[in-house]
Each structure stands twice: as structure tokens, then as C-alpha cells.
Amino acid sequence: MLDFNNHSFLNEVLKYSEGMISFFKPVYTKDRITDYELYFLSENFKKYIHLEIDLILHKKLSEVFPVIFQNGMFEIFNSCMNKADFEINFERRIDFYKNKVWFENKAIKYNEYILLSSKEITRLKSAETKLKQVLKDVEYNNTILNDSESISKTGSFRWNLKKNSWQFSKNMIAFFDQFQVTAKQYNNLGVFSLLNDTDKEKLTTEIENFNYYKKIENFNFIVINKLKTTTYFSLRAGFSPSKTGPILLGVIKDITEITNNALLLKSKNSELIKSNEELASFNQVVSHDLQEPLRKIQMFISRINSENSEEKNKNYLNKIADTSNKMQQLIKSILHYASLDANEHKFVELDLTTIINDTIDDLDQQIEDVHAKVEVKNLPFVNGEYHLLKQLFNNLLSNAIKYRKTNKDLIISIENEYFLEDTLNINNKICLSSKDYHKISINDNGIGFEQQFAPKIFKVFQRLHNFSESKGTGIGLAIAEKVIKIHQGLIDVSSHPNQGTSFYLYLPKNA
Amino acid sequence: MVRDTLHIVLVDDDEDDRDFFREAIEEIDMDTTLSMFVNGQEFLDHITIPNQKLPQIVFLDLNMPIKNGLECLKEIKENNLLEKLSVAIYSTSSSEEDIERTFVLGANVYINKPNSFKKLKKAVEEVLKVNWQYHTSNLNKENFLLRV
């Protein structure tokens, strides 16, 4: 029999250590262990129990710590009792009233007793719990980050400038994969592996001038893949200090959809402006151009009376007939102009030379009447609609005939002009290159006009010249412009008074 | 009361309208001379020749090629030598916008081209009888548009 109560030395030592010792003596009913008697408890347990240890000593655990029958400790003790030198390590939380304490325990059979050495690990345990929670949170946040990056089409990266080490989010890697950037490339060059040389230089400059308070914002770049489709990106980044030098934290966002939508919106807007302008000019047509012949007819009628000579009255009647004919033509051409937009257009490959020869055939009589000469030089094939293009050339040739010089034979030349790059100043400045466009010029040696009137001439019902006989309805060039627009092209004009006029048609190649 | 000869100018691109106007002036019992121009540019080119004798009143069409009535009116009012010139707008347009803009630019009266010769004569006569030199002081938007 051990008499531990006399081992005051042991208690004294344990007082200064973190370790606590307890002994439990099995209680047998028949041959089975049914309980344990609390045989010894080192003094340093006292701070948890808040009781004189003597008061609970030699009591059964079922009375003082019945919890051991629920938390598996009873079974652990039994296992130890069944085997010599069988040591079981375990962690348990024991609740002393409201005080929850975690212990790290080691149970072992010592003689016919259970020796339990314990150590408090509550703080460690709560740190561990906290850590677990933090890890869980990180995991959640990462899931959310990945999801939100793929929803918002963004990717993020971290770059340690000094060590040139890069870290990427999952979606950032997906971006690299999308543009066939290899792991070797992106691990070395990071986000730079997506940039072209100009953008690389720009971003490098931004980074060289960095400070911790400034963010890199609105840095936009484009990536073109092998299929020549363009992806637009926007980059945002900021610097963060670290032990190993500055770290660049950045996000790139695929803004292709937004950009394309903005471009679409812009083009829809300009279409809208154009159609509003057309609406306004139709308004003008109704309030003026259609009223005018009616009013004149009324005026002529008011001039007819029995006091006039028969000849004079006949003259008024003729004028009425003329004016109403003109009005009918006007209405027809307005309807024609309006119908251009409404119709669907089917494009086929067409030889411009054929179209122009057919146009010349149509205008045969007029051309002969004024002794005009039309020269056609190696024109290309274009995609278009035959009747529209014929109408276009018909209008331009008719125009040249209408505004010819009366004292000189009219010469019209139509040719395919070589050009590198042209800047047109139509609505806004537009730059066209010969790579994408044919440039067809139609030149005449007619009366021309001051270049300052160039923007006016394509407007509906604008005429620059006074012709009392009023040969045109003022709608021919407006139709020409619309036809060119339907063919995704542009029309421009340059003119000198008394020298002549050149119209330039830009038609897309292989459109 | 003896009045000096009244010098009148018509700027209109429409030949028929010029004929109607000339005939109307001829039938009005007043001592007048009439000069006609086919667009704003022709008129301005003529009137800005140094020492040119100015007319008392210009009838100005709005919708004309090369230089329209609105541009012409603006240039008249911006020219120190011409600012005293009385301007009668003579147009088919009855749009509020045209009336408003020409009023703001300083035209004296706005005549809608009438649909009968009788009305034309009446309108021209009424305009010619006004002594515009004195009339300008009580110019307002209510009596700007001439009603015949």
C-alpha cells in the first residue's frame, strides 16, 4: 500500500510544475470494474475544484465526477487496467461548474491503480479552435473570391518585385490558359506576359514611379488571340510593403463586354442622331418643300381671270401643270429615299465596271446630248447590291451632267485610286486605310463649288446652285450617301469652283 | 406729303415667286424701285460694294441655296454699315423655329408667302407703308408675324 498523503515532497514539487497527478483505484463488483475511487489528487488540482481535496478523496468517481461515464474516460481507465504498460494519451474537457478546462492526459496502470498525469491546455486549445476558425474563414473567402472572380471576369495577382515571385488567383491562371501563356512564361513575367510591347513599357513606367499611396488605375490593355478576336482588359493595382520589399497587388478585369456594349451604344447613338437629323429634314420637307409647290399652284390659280389674255391664262395653266409634276417627282423620290432603309439588302460580288457600263447605257441619251466623255479605268469587284450601286452611279453621273460647264465638253473619269491612308472629316474624323477599303473616284470638269459647302451637299433637299428650271429634286446625293452607308462605306467630296468636282467612294474590301 | 422713292430688294431663288412679287409691286401705287437677287450671297456681294446705295427694305426668302436667308440675315445684322437696313422675312415656312430665330436675329417683320396674289399685294403694301425707322422702337414678338 502506498501512502501518498505522506508524500508531501511530491506535492511540493508538483506545485511548481504544470503537471498534475491523480490516482484511481478500481472498484469491483463481482469480477468487473464498475467504478473508481479517487485515491489521490495532487494539490495543484485545487485551483480547478475549489474544494479541500480531502473532502472528495476516497469518494467514488460516480459520485464526484460522474462525467467520466459519459466522456469515455471510464473506458480508457478500463483499457489501461486490462494491460500492463498500456499507456493512453487523450485530451478531455472537464467542466468545473462554469469553468471549462481542457487537459492533456496520460493514463497508465501503476500497480493496481490508474495513474493519470494531466496538464492544462485550455489556452492552446482555444488558440487551436481560433486557428481552425480562421482557416475555415480563409477557405470560405477563397471560395467566394474564386466564384466572384469568375462571375465578375476578374483575376488577381501578387508580385514580389525584389524576388520576382508571382502568385495568381485561380481565375488569373484561367486567363493565362485562355491566351495560351505557359506556366513558365507567367511564372517569370506574370501579368506582363499578357501585354504587347507598348503596354509593357507603359506599365513598367507606372511601376517605376510607384509609391505606396498611389494606385495604378484605369490601365487598359487589349489581348488579341490567334483567332484575331480582341479581349479588352482593365488593370488596377496598388503597392503594399513587406519584409522583402514592395509587393504589387493587382486585379485585372475582362471588360470586353462592357467595351463592346459601349462601342455598340456609340454606333447606335450616331445612327440615332442621323435618323433624328433625317426626321428633322423630313419635317422640313413637309413644312416647306411639299408646301411650296401647292402654294404656287394656288398663286397661279389666283392669277387666272377673265380679264387676262388667253395666252397669259394658258401660260399660268402650263405652270400649274409643271409645278404639280415637280411635286409628284418630289414625293416619289422622298418615298424612294425612305424605302432604302426599310428594305433588306442581299449582297453579292459585283464587277463595278459592269455596273458603270450599265449606268452609262441608261444615261446614253443625256450623255450624247451634252457630248460628255466617260472614262472608266480598272475598277475592282465589290460586294453589294446591283440596283443600289447602279442608282448611286446614276445619281453621280447625272449630277456631273447637270452641273457641267456649258462652254466646255464634259469629261468624267471614274477610277480605282491607290491610297495609303486617308483621313475623312465627315462627322468626326475617320481614318481609312487601303488595307480595308477601295477608293473609287468620280471626277468631272464641271462648275464645281466652294469646298466649304461640302458638308451641305449630302443633306436632303440642299442644292447649291440656282437653276430656275430646277433640274433636281435635291435628293440625289442624299440617296448616294445612303447607298454607300448601306454598303458600310463612306463618301467624300472635294471641289473647286470652275475646275470641277471629285467624289470619292470608299467601299470595304471583302465586306 | 411727298416721299422719296422707296428702294426695295427681294432675295428669292424661286423665279415664279420673283415674278409674283414684281407684279405685286408694279400694281401698288407707290414710287418704288425693285432689285432682285437669287440668293443671300449674291445680295451681300452686291450690297457690300463700297458707297453702295442702300435700300430701305429687304424682303428675304429663307430657304435658298448657297447662302440661305438665316445666314444672310445674320451677316446683315453683324455688319455695322447694314444694321439699319429693315428686313422683312418672306418665306413659305411657318415653323415656330424659323419665326423665333429670325426675330432673335433682328428681322423686322415675318411674312408667310401667301397663296393668292391679292393677299401678296396686301401684305407687301402693308409692309411698305410702315416707316421702319420709327417702328423699330416698339418691335415685339406679337406683331412680328404679319397677318393678312
Side-chain angles (χ1 to χ4, degrees):
Chain A
M1 269 277 193
L2 290 164
D3 182 8
F4 291 102
N5 291 328
N6 291 333
H7 284 66
S8 56
F9 169 71
L10 178 64
N11 269 327
E12 206 53 32
V13 170
L14 288 175
K15 207 193 273 179
Y16 300 103
S17 94
E18 288 181 345
M20 290 163 278
I21 298 289
S22 45
F23 271 87
F24 301 94
K25 184 185 171 189
V27 178
Y28 288 89
T29 313
K30 294 182 184 163
D31 283 337
R32 282 180 55 225
I33 301 172
T34 53
D35 208 341
Y36 286 89
E37 181 194 323
L38 181 53
Y39 203 77
F40 172 79
L41 216 50
S42 59
E43 290 281 332
N44 49 13
F45 263 117
K46 220 168 137 181
K47 61 180 168 188
Y48 304 113
I49 299 174
H50 304 295
L51 278 175
E52 283 303 324
I53 285 173
D54 288 349
L55 287 174
I56 55 168
L57 225 48
H58 304 299
K59 298 229 160 132
K60 283 179 183 167
L61 285 184
S62 58
E63 285 169 51
V64 291
F65 289 112
V67 71
I68 65 149
F69 295 99
Q70 282 134 43
N71 69 10
M73 276 171 75
F74 179 70
E75 285 77 12
I76 289 169
F77 289 178
N78 289 352
S79 303
C80 292
M81 286 303 292
N82 287 336
K83 256 188 202 167
D85 300 328
F86 189 54
E87 184 184 304
I88 295 181
N89 292 294
F90 62 96
E91 290 173 359
R92 276 298 175 282
R93 198 185 81 190
I94 309 281
D95 298 356
F96 299 95
Y97 301 100
K98 279 178 186 170
N99 197 10
K100 291 163 185 167
V101 187
W102 275 92
F103 293 101
E104 186 183 73
N105 308 293
K106 187 187 279 179
I108 194 164
K109 188 180 168 191
Y110 187 80
N111 291 340
E112 286 308 311
Y113 300 82
I114 290 291
L115 166 62
L116 186 70
S117 65
S118 311
K119 186 180 141 192
E120 192 197 336
I121 53 161
T122 311
R123 265 164 69 188
L124 197 71
K125 210 65 196 170
S126 85
E128 199 182 293
T129 315
K130 267 183 200 154
L131 187 66
K132 264 187 193 156
Q133 191 55 51
V134 168
L135 285 174
K136 203 88 189 159
D137 282 349
V138 169
E139 201 188 309
Y140 290 156
N141 282 339
N142 260 333
T143 314
I144 290 168
L145 180 72
N146 283 339
D147 286 349
S148 62
E149 279 198 346
S150 75
I151 288 170
S152 65
K153 294 182 178 174
T154 53
S156 50
F157 61 86
R158 269 185 261 176
W159 179 31
N160 186 317
L161 275 70
K162 236 184 201 163
K163 296 201 292 190
N164 190 33
S165 70
W166 291 87
Q167 276 173 284
F168 307 106
S169 71
K170 211 169 141 194
N171 214 38
M172 187 79 194
I173 305 269
F175 282 139
F176 289 129
D177 291 345
Q178 188 187 332
F179 298 104
Q180 277 110 38
V181 179
T182 63
K184 199 181 160 194
Q185 286 170 313
Y186 65 67
N187 282 326
N188 184 31
L189 292 170
V191 72
F192 288 93
S193 57
L194 290 173
L195 303 184
N196 65 30
D197 290 347
T198 327
D199 288 336
K200 260 181 207 162
E201 216 169 281
K202 259 164 72 187
L203 187 59
T204 309
T205 319
E206 289 257 12
I207 287 166
E208 276 166 1
N209 302 327
F210 93 92
N211 63 55
Y212 287 121
Y213 305 103
K214 205 186 83 188
K215 273 201 172 299
I216 297 172
E217 278 173 313
N218 303 323
F219 183 90
N220 293 351
F221 61 94
I222 58 171
V223 186
I224 297 165
N225 71 6
K226 278 179 185 157
L227 296 167
K228 290 210 165 174
T229 47
T230 306
T231 308
Y232 297 82
F233 280 104
S234 178
L235 180 146
R236 239 184 111 103
F239 288 97
S240 189
S242 87
K243 268 183 199 164
T244 49
I247 286 182
L248 185 69
L249 301 172
V251 180
I252 64 167
K253 181 172 168 61
D254 180 343
I255 52 166
T256 310
E257 212 179 316
I258 301 166
T259 311
N260 284 340
N261 283 344
L263 289 174
L264 189 69
L265 196 66
K266 211 174 152 191
S267 91
K268 287 274 172 209
N269 260 343
S270 71
E271 266 175 45
L272 207 60
I273 287 168
K274 180 96 187 160
S275 101
N276 271 342
E277 275 170 9
E278 269 170 24
L279 209 62
S281 65
F282 273 104
N283 207 346
Q284 155 87 359
V285 167
V286 176
S287 75
H288 188 272
D289 299 74
L290 287 179
Q291 299 272 6
E292 184 101 325
L294 273 183
R295 182 189 56 80
K296 266 165 74 174
I297 289 168
Q298 289 170 322
M299 277 292 258
F300 288 126
I301 292 170
S302 78
R303 294 295 278 156
I304 296 173
N305 58 57
S306 53
E307 285 159 39
N308 290 341
S309 66
E310 200 180 315
E311 200 192 333
K312 199 172 180 184
N313 279 342
K314 210 172 154 189
N315 182 37
Y316 284 134
L317 283 173
N318 282 337
K319 292 227 177 198
I320 289 170
D322 279 354
T323 314
S324 53
N325 278 340
K326 222 156 74 181
M327 187 170 177
Q328 193 176 23
Q329 263 187 18
L330 193 61
I331 291 171
K332 270 188 191 164
S333 50
I334 291 166
L335 289 177
H336 177 67
Y337 179 77
S339 72
L340 288 177
D341 271 334
N343 294 343
E344 289 233 351
H345 306 286
K346 281 197 181 117
F347 286 3
V348 289
E349 192 173 52
L350 296 168
D351 183 0
L352 278 184
T353 312
T354 314
I355 297 175
I356 286 175
N357 286 336
D358 292 353
T359 313
I360 292 171
D361 282 347
D362 287 351
L363 294 170
D364 201 24
Q365 195 57 51
Q366 283 165 270
I367 290 170
E368 208 172 288
D369 285 351
V370 303
H371 308 292
K373 213 173 119 192
V374 186
E375 297 164 352
V376 184
K377 286 175 202 155
N378 50 39
L379 296 181
F381 281 72
V382 296
N383 276 346
E385 196 178 292
Y386 174 82
H387 288 287
L388 288 181
L389 288 175
K390 204 171 92 174
Q391 165 120 57
L392 162 75
F393 287 110
N394 188 311
N395 290 359
L396 291 178
L397 292 182
S398 306
N399 233 59
I401 293 169
K402 215 178 291 164
Y403 301 115
R404 72 186 184 277
K405 276 187 201 160
T406 41
N407 57 357
K408 204 173 175 185
D409 277 353
L410 172 65
I411 300 169
I412 304 169
S413 73
I414 304 172
E415 45 196 298
N416 186 10
E417 274 195 32
Y418 175 76
F419 77 114
L420 267 176
E421 245 174 30
D422 274 11
T423 306
L424 308 191
N425 216 338
I426 296 174
N427 285 325
N428 295 307
K429 276 195 175 168
I430 300 164
C431 197
L432 298 180
S433 102
S434 57
K435 209 173 78 216
D436 309 310
Y437 288 88
H438 293 295
K439 180 184 185 182
I440 317 294
S441 67
I442 296 105
N443 315 290
D444 68 45
N445 59 346
I447 57 175
F449 57 85
E450 294 280 358
Q451 184 63 30
Q452 68 185 96
F453 300 121
K456 268 190 176 182
I457 67 163
F458 298 111
K459 286 196 177 152
V460 185
F461 299 109
Q462 288 281 353
R463 282 190 310 262
L464 296 184
H465 297 285
N466 274 298
F467 283 97
S468 48
E469 64 269 41
S470 198
K471 287 175 188 167
T473 50
I475 209 164
L477 289 178
I479 288 176
E481 194 202 22
K482 190 159 263 183
V483 169
I484 282 287
K485 220 190 125 196
I486 289 167
H487 287 80
Q488 320 286 325
L490 285 164
I491 188 166
D492 195 18
V493 65
S494 97
S495 190
H496 296 284
N498 282 320
Q499 286 177 36
T501 304
S502 295
F503 283 96
Y504 302 105
L505 312 179
Y506 295 88
L507 287 166
K509 291 180 175 175
N510 317 314
Chain B
M1 191 178 93
V2 183
R3 254 179 102 164
D4 293 336
T5 304
L6 198 58
H7 295 286
I8 306 163
V9 161
L10 171 69
V11 188
D12 195 329
D13 64 321
D14 190 292
E15 194 188 13
D16 296 323
D17 275 332
R18 290 199 301 269
D19 285 345
F20 292 137
F21 194 89
R22 185 175 38 75
E23 286 164 17
I25 293 277
E26 279 166 5
E27 288 189 19
I28 293 168
D29 187 22
M30 282 177 84
D31 185 10
T32 56
T33 63
L34 173 67
S35 327
M36 298 194 283
F37 300 90
V38 298
N39 67 57
Q41 192 59 54
E42 275 196 16
F43 170 65
L44 285 170
D45 287 348
H46 167 82
I47 202 73
T48 49
I49 296 170
N51 301 319
Q52 184 69 260
K53 193 172 185 307
L54 295 185
Q56 274 90 351
I57 185 154
V58 181
F59 289 81
L60 190 60
D61 184 18
L62 287 183
N63 192 34
M64 293 182 287
I66 302 183
K67 184 155 285 173
N68 68 32
L70 215 62
E71 292 165 320
C72 183
L73 172 63
K74 216 175 145 198
E75 285 189 39
I76 290 171
K77 292 297 164 185
E78 280 168 359
N79 187 327
N80 290 337
L81 297 170
L82 302 178
E83 62 182 355
K84 280 194 179 143
L85 200 59
S86 298
V87 179
I89 302 301
Y90 180 58
S91 168
T92 319
S93 164
S94 52
S95 84
E96 273 303 316
E97 198 193 339
D98 282 335
I99 296 170
E100 175 76 32
R101 277 160 79 189
T102 50
F103 178 76
V104 170
L105 283 173
N108 299 68
V109 66
Y110 195 107
I111 308 159
N112 269 139
K113 285 186 181 174
N115 58 8
S116 84
F117 188 71
K118 220 166 127 189
K119 280 187 195 164
L120 170 62
K121 232 169 87 179
K122 202 177 155 214
V124 174
E125 204 167 358
E126 235 171 85
V127 171
L128 293 185
K129 277 183 183 157
V130 175
N131 193 338
W132 291 106
Q133 300 293 322
Y134 298 100
H135 190 81
T136 43
S137 53
N138 58 5
L139 193 66
N140 64 55
K141 231 192 127 191
E142 276 61 51
N143 57 26
F144 178 60
L145 182 65
L146 186 81
R147 294 176 206 281
V148 270

